[in-house]
PDB file of all heavy atoms in Angstrom:
ATOM      1  N   ASN A  42       8.862  22.536 -10.479  1.00  0.00           N
ATOM      2  CA  ASN A  42       9.728  21.592  -9.761  1.00  0.00           C
ATOM      3  C   ASN A  42       8.938  20.783  -8.717  1.00  0.00           C
ATOM      4  O   ASN A  42       9.349  20.611  -7.567  1.00  0.00           O
ATOM      5  CB  ASN A  42      10.901  22.308  -9.080  1.00  0.00           C
ATOM      6  CG  ASN A  42      11.782  23.009 -10.106  1.00  0.00           C
ATOM      7  OD1 ASN A  42      12.035  22.479 -11.157  1.00  0.00           O
ATOM      8  ND2 ASN A  42      12.193  24.220  -9.778  1.00  0.00           N
ATOM      9  N   PRO A  52     -13.913  34.275  -6.560  1.00  0.00           N
ATOM     10  CA  PRO A  52     -14.978  34.042  -5.584  1.00  0.00           C
ATOM     11  C   PRO A  52     -15.924  32.941  -6.019  1.00  0.00           C
ATOM     12  O   PRO A  52     -16.226  32.804  -7.204  1.00  0.00           O
ATOM     13  CB  PRO A  52     -15.689  35.398  -5.546  1.00  0.00           C
ATOM     14  CG  PRO A  52     -14.625  36.376  -5.969  1.00  0.00           C
ATOM     15  CD  PRO A  52     -13.792  35.650  -6.964  1.00  0.00           C
ATOM     16  N   PRO A  56     -10.363  24.880  -4.322  1.00  0.00           N
ATOM     17  CA  PRO A  56      -9.588  23.738  -4.793  1.00  0.00           C
ATOM     18  C   PRO A  56     -10.392  22.448  -4.936  1.00  0.00           C
ATOM     19  O   PRO A  56     -10.106  21.631  -5.811  1.00  0.00           O
ATOM     20  CB  PRO A  56      -8.485  23.560  -3.778  1.00  0.00           C
ATOM     21  CG  PRO A  56      -8.473  24.738  -2.896  1.00  0.00           C
ATOM     22  CD  PRO A  56      -9.803  25.456  -3.128  1.00  0.00           C
ATOM     23  N   THR A  62     -13.644  22.193 -17.467  1.00  0.00           N
ATOM     24  CA  THR A  62     -12.303  22.272 -18.034  1.00  0.00           C
ATOM     25  C   THR A  62     -12.311  22.471 -19.523  1.00  0.00           C
ATOM     26  O   THR A  62     -11.259  22.788 -20.099  1.00  0.00           O
ATOM     27  CB  THR A  62     -11.513  20.993 -17.732  1.00  0.00           C
ATOM     28  OG1 THR A  62     -12.181  19.851 -18.269  1.00  0.00           O
ATOM     29  CG2 THR A  62     -11.305  20.824 -16.208  1.00  0.00           C
ATOM     30  N   GLY A 136     -21.353  21.128 -37.591  1.00  0.00           N
ATOM     31  CA  GLY A 136     -22.408  20.797 -36.698  1.00  0.00           C
ATOM     32  C   GLY A 136     -22.492  19.303 -36.403  1.00  0.00           C
ATOM     33  O   GLY A 136     -22.727  18.919 -35.254  1.00  0.00           O
ATOM     34  N   THR A 179      -4.747   5.847 -30.574  1.00  0.00           N
ATOM     35  CA  THR A 179      -5.523   4.579 -30.419  1.00  0.00           C
ATOM     36  C   THR A 179      -5.066   3.555 -31.417  1.00  0.00           C
ATOM     37  O   THR A 179      -4.877   2.370 -31.084  1.00  0.00           O
ATOM     38  CB  THR A 179      -7.004   4.869 -30.548  1.00  0.00           C
ATOM     39  OG1 THR A 179      -7.419   5.808 -29.515  1.00  0.00           O
ATOM     40  CG2 THR A 179      -7.841   3.590 -30.377  1.00  0.00           C
TER      41      THR A 179
END
Side-chain angles (χ1 to χ4, degrees):
N42 300 320
T62 60
T179 301

